[in-house]
Structures are given as C-alpha cells and as structure tokens.
Amino acid sequence: DGDNAAAMRYTEARMTAVSRSLLEGIDQDTVDFRPTYDAEDNEPVVLPANFPNLLANGAQGIAVGMATSIPPHNVGEICDALRHLIKFPNASITKLVDFISGPDFPTGGVLVEGRDSIISAYETGKGGFRVRSKWEVEKLKGGSYQIVVTEIPYQVQKSRLIERIADLIHTRKLIFLGDVRDESSEEIRLVLEPKSRNVDPAVLMESLFKQTDLETRISLNMNALNSENVPQVMSLREVLRAFLDHRRNVLVRRSQFRLGKIDHRLEILEGFLIAYLNIDELIRIIREDDHPKQVIMSTFDLTEVQAESILNMRLRSLRRLEEEGIRKEHYELIAEREGLVGLLESEDQQWQSINGQIKEIKALYGSGALGDRRTEIGDIPEEIEIPLEAMIEKEPVTVILSAKGWIRAMKGHGVERADVKYKEGDEENFVVPAYRTDKFLVFSGTGRFYTLPVDRLPGGRGFGEPLSLMVDLEAGTSIIEAKVYEADNKLLVASTEGRGFVVEEKAVMAQTRSGKKSLNVSDSYKAKFCIKIEGDSVAVVGQNRKLLIFAVEELPEMARGKGVMLQKYKDGGLSDVKTFTLEKGLSWRWGQDKNRTETDLIAWQGKRASAGRMAPNGFPKNNKFY
C-alpha cells in the first residue's frame, strides 16, 4: 500500500540466512578492505557473496549519467543456469533462458512477454518485461459474476491502483465497470464488479490493463560495475560469469588464507612434539636459565614461534593424552593441507567445489515456500479488440471550431448557434455534431491532416483552447475542413492551383501531434478543398467562371502527392469543387434560400484537365456552388 517504514526506534534487525551467506568468509581474507568515509574503520570493497544477490534480489538506482534496473529472479533457476555455465562456459543466451525463463517477482503476477523478446533483452542487457495482474472470475447468483484480482505487478501500490480505478469509474472512462472493492487481508483480493453480466470479462480486463497499473512494464538495464570497477551493461551470461569468477577468486583467497593458518599451526604442533620428546631437558632449562627462550631455540633448533608456544604451554598439557591429541591434529592438518594445495593447483577441482556450493545454495533457497517461482510464465496475450465504448461513454457532443482556431466540445446535439459565444474578433467556422467516442479530423491549408480524440477536447464552458496547443499547427494556418472521422469514407483534396486526388480517410488518420501530410503544396499555392466523395461525378468551376464535369474514376486514389490537374486554366485558379450523382443532376444555390438543379449537363461534361465551358445562366456570381 506504500506505507512508510517504521521509525528506527521501533525496529530491530537480525541477519537472515541469505545475509549470513553474503558475509560468509569475510574474516578469511576473501575480499579487500578499504577505509570508511571518515577513516575511522575499514569496510569491504565487495562482499564474498555466497549467494547470487544481484539477480536474485535485483537492483534499481540512478547515478550521474547512468542508471540500472535489474528485476529479481528465481534463485533455483539462477543456480541451474550457473551450474550449466560451469559445465559449458560458452553456453548461449537461448540455452540459459531455458533455465532462467524470466524475472520472478515476490508479488507474483503473470509475465506475458514473448520468449524472443526475453532472449533479446538478456542478450543486450536492455529491454523490458510486461507483467499483468493475476485474476479470476467468481460466479454469483442469477448468472452474474465478479472479477477477483489476487496478484498485482511488482512495486505497484495497491492503494494508488484502487484510486486510479475509482477515478476512471467516476470520470466515465470505464463505463462497463460498476465498482471496485478492496477485500485484502494478508493476501491481495481486489473485487471488480461489472455493470452488467453481459460484459465479457476478458474485454473488461483488457480495458483495465490498458488504462491502469494492473499491467506494467518492468524495465531491464543490467548496468553494473565489472571486476575492474567500470560500469558496463552486461548480458545475462556476463552477469552469471562475473558471479562465478568472483566465487572462484573468493575460493582461492580463502584456501590460501586457510593454508597459511594450517602452516602456522603445524609449526606450533611440531614444536610441541619436540617438547614431548625432550620434556625433562626442557624443564631443566626453564628452571635454571635466565633466558630460556634463546637456549631452547638453540638447543632443539626451534623457531621463535615454536619456542614461545612451548613456554606458554600449560603444565596440564604435558599429559600423555594431550600428546596423542596433538599428533592426531597434526595428521589431520597435514591431510587438509594436501587437499588445499591440490585445490589451488587444479582449476577443475576449484569449479567442482564451486558447483557444490551452488548446489547447496539451491537446496537452501531454491525450493519450498521461499524458492518456488511466484511469477507465472504466461503466453503473449491475444489482441482483444476493445470497443471504445468500453472506456468512454458514447455521449453526444457538438464540436465547435472557431475561425481563429479555438476548439471545444459542448454537450448534446442541436446546440443553438446564436447562444454560442466567441472571443472578441472571432466567429463561427465549423459546428459538427459528434460523440465522445469519435475521432475528429482536421485538414489545414498546408495539406496536412490532424486527428483529435473527441473525449480529450476541452468542455463547452468558456471559449475552449487553441487548436495549436493540441497539434503542431503553425500560426496563421487556415483550417479547410473539420469533420468526424469515418474510416470507410473517401475524400477529394485539391489546391488553389487546381490539382487534386482522392484519398481514403483511414490513410490520413494521424497518431501524433505533427499530423499526416497528404496534399503537397508550395508558397505560391495552398490546400483549399477537402470534400467527401458522394456520387459518381466531379464538378469544378474556375475563377474564370468556366464549369467542367467529369467522372470521379478519372481521379487517382493516393495517400500523398501533388495530385493531377482537375481543370485547365489560362488565368486564375480553382474556385470551387463538388461531387454529385450525374443522374440526379447538379445543384447550386439559387437566390438566397433556394437551390436550382440542372440535369441536362452534356454541354459541360468532358475529360479531366479540360478547360470546360462558361457556367449556365443563373450560376452564382461568386463562382461557388453554395
């Protein structure tokens, strides 16, 4: 839940078995020591570490110009990989992943990363792992059900997770979810109640995975100090190899330390044995000489250590029983010394010893309640198409885009335009009925399309926000068209030069702020038209008042380009364009409130890029259809 740790005065510390393993042999010259920061004491440069702590418990940290992120792993799997690497030093990452199948988090969960992705991450030392919560469906009376989450991803705070889910319910972004309850005790138990029993549990959970920390991505950045104290991003094999090399170094130093202790003890024992053989003479020397130490050394050819040990010997040690014990200890130490010498001279024996140590680690920590894998290895989740209505309520709104580019979404359809207020000097441009679940398509004078989720548009209070804050729209750029995105539609886009083409709306759907370029323009001509293809014919009228009608089929269908000439001009450019059904006739505004439809259009029909003929009598003087 993210609770703070208790104050120091309320806590006690006691080393666990793992801690003792990390320190094992630290007093036997296994590692180097250095002065502490205040030079009052010494501290180990690195721990002997008879436990693969870096991978087992993981590590996270940020330093100057670098960071590390290593998730925890299963100790038993690490030990299996280490023993395999001892036997096959050049084992591939693919083979090692057969042993270490991925991170193992203490909070469980389900690892849903593909094997290829896991191998790639371990090969490079960088990557990530998708982890999902573990959940199950509990059947209730009447055919209803509830979803129970029993495990949540590593380092996700349960309290914040619940707050996030509750907030999504409150803001109607999870309209299929009715309620969330925390029934946790020592075990995690989050209860999710759907609004209807007809909601598919998989769809509901998929929407939660996308919007909450019920699914997280754990990063991998195996950046660690190598044996030369240089930061290095290591692969899985390099990390395992570094641990094995360290353990071999510890083994050698510990053996050499023990060998030195044995040699020292053998020297003393050999002096004792000489003393037992000459006990009467020793007693006489000690009683009569003023400097017995030098006399003993010269008389029996003993070292200073041997002489000092004899002089410090207690009288009770002169018993026959003690002599036999010393001879037995001397024999055992000789045998141990031979074993250590053989170990130091044989690399194979050293790896056999390390292999035995790793086997003991697995026996202690790699099985049972402590060592069993907690994070389940799952399959890559299938793509479940989540209807937008599962995350956003299909609420009717009216999108208003002003002449100066201020946008907002007012609740409901049928907004009274006269009641809509604009900033001083601004006015109405586009008023479009839509739903919260829609995408809003905007086409600018630069020939670029932009896509905006309607649910993210500012509300109807106030004047909204400038469109330029939501997309990368240059100041002063005109908006040619604004409409609700319809994937099956086709659009005709054209420039002032009179060039254009047909484009599918799904081809101009933009996922980024920069939008998607479609119609190529220049400084001398801009994008001017973006109309929905309705019918089988295109009517174009130029600034020279000439009208041309041709089939839609003559226009190329493309995603981006300059387009083809719609109509040939000697002077001026394109004034207006319209698509219609030839059989029904061509309509245009007649007077202030009437429309006129002309069905006899043979005189104006021709091929694309023709000059056309003068528009019929009564055609609007502004050379516009409407």
Side-chain angles (χ1 to χ4, degrees), residues 86-98:
I86 290 173
K87 191 173 182 180
F88 303 99
N90 296 319
S92 66
I93 299 294
T94 302
K95 184 60 180 178
L96 293 175
V97 171
D98 289 342

Side-chain angles (χ1 to χ4, degrees), residues 44-65:
V45 174
V46 65
L47 298 182
N50 188 20
F51 181 81
N53 191 61
L54 184 66
L55 283 177
N57 282 319
Q60 283 190 339
I62 299 174
V64 180

Side-chain angles (χ1 to χ4, degrees), residues 7 25 59 72 107 159 167-168 170 222 236 380 392 491 505 564 597 621:
T107 52
S159 56
D167 182 60
L168 290 172
H170 178 70
M222 287 204 285
L236 177 63
I380 300 176
I392 305 168
L491 304 171
E505 283 197 30
V564 296
T597 302
K621 292 182 180 180

Side-chain angles (χ1 to χ4, degrees), residues 109-121:
V110 182
L111 184 68
V112 292
E113 198 67 43
R115 177 179 169 83
D116 290 343
S117 177
I118 293 173
I119 292 172
S120 175

Side-chain angles (χ1 to χ4, degrees), residues 70-244:
I70 304 174
H73 293 75
N74 183 270
V75 179
E77 293 179 359
I78 296 170
C79 291
D80 290 339
L82 287 168
R83 295 180 68 191
H84 181 80
L85 197 59
I86 290 173
K87 191 173 182 180
F88 303 99
N90 296 319
S92 66
I93 299 294
T94 302
K95 184 60 180 178
L96 293 175
V97 171
D98 289 342
F99 300 101
I100 302 177
S101 50
D104 185 21
F105 303 103
T107 52
V110 182
L111 184 68
V112 292
E113 198 67 43
R115 177 179 169 83
D116 290 343
S117 177
I118 293 173
I119 292 172
S120 175
Y122 283 140
E123 280 180 340
T124 61
K126 286 193 173 187
F129 307 96
R130 286 171 64 193
V131 182
R132 285 187 165 186
S133 301
K134 199 169 184 180
W135 60 280
E136 58 190 29
V137 175
E138 286 187 355
K139 300 292 185 181
L140 302 176
K141 293 180 180 179
S144 59
Y145 71 90
Q146 64 184 17
I147 295 172
V148 178
V149 177
T150 55
E151 295 174 1
I152 60 177
Y154 185 53
Q155 292 185 330
V156 170
Q157 292 185 13
K158 176 167 60 69
S159 56
R160 289 189 181 178
L161 176 62
I162 295 170
E163 288 176 9
R164 172 62 177 164
I165 296 174
D167 182 60
L168 290 172
I169 295 173
H170 178 70
T171 55
R172 299 181 181 179
K173 292 184 178 178
L174 274 175
I175 61 171
F176 287 176
L177 185 62
D179 193 16
V180 56
R181 296 196 313 274
D182 184 9
E183 297 182 356
S184 305
S185 53
E186 292 183 0
E187 304 292 333
I188 296 288
R189 182 179 168 85
L190 298 184
V191 179
L192 305 171
E193 292 184 357
K195 273 192 174 180
S196 169
R197 65 184 181 184
N198 297 323
V199 177
D200 186 347
V203 172
L204 177 56
M205 288 305 297
E206 194 68 27
S207 63
L208 280 162
F209 288 144
K210 288 184 180 297
Q211 298 187 78
T212 70
D213 283 341
L214 284 174
E215 175 184 308
T216 60
R217 186 168 180 81
I218 308 295
S219 65
L220 173 72
N221 182 15
M222 287 204 285
N223 190 8
L225 295 177
N226 61 21
S227 59
E228 298 175 354
N229 275 341
V230 176
Q232 177 186 347
V233 178
M234 300 182 180
S235 67
L236 177 63
R237 183 174 57 242
E238 287 172 328
V239 171
L240 296 173
R241 186 78 255 167
F243 176 77
L244 290 175

Side-chain angles (χ1 to χ4, degrees), residues 278-300 311:
N278 303 278
I279 189 66
D280 294 332
E281 180 63 16
L282 276 171
I283 292 173
R284 185 194 66 77
I285 293 172
I286 292 171
R287 290 182 63 185
E288 296 178 358
D289 277 276
D290 294 334
H291 303 285
K293 181 176 178 182
Q294 285 74 18
V295 176
I296 291 173
M297 291 172 61
S298 60
T299 303
F300 302 106
L311 290 172

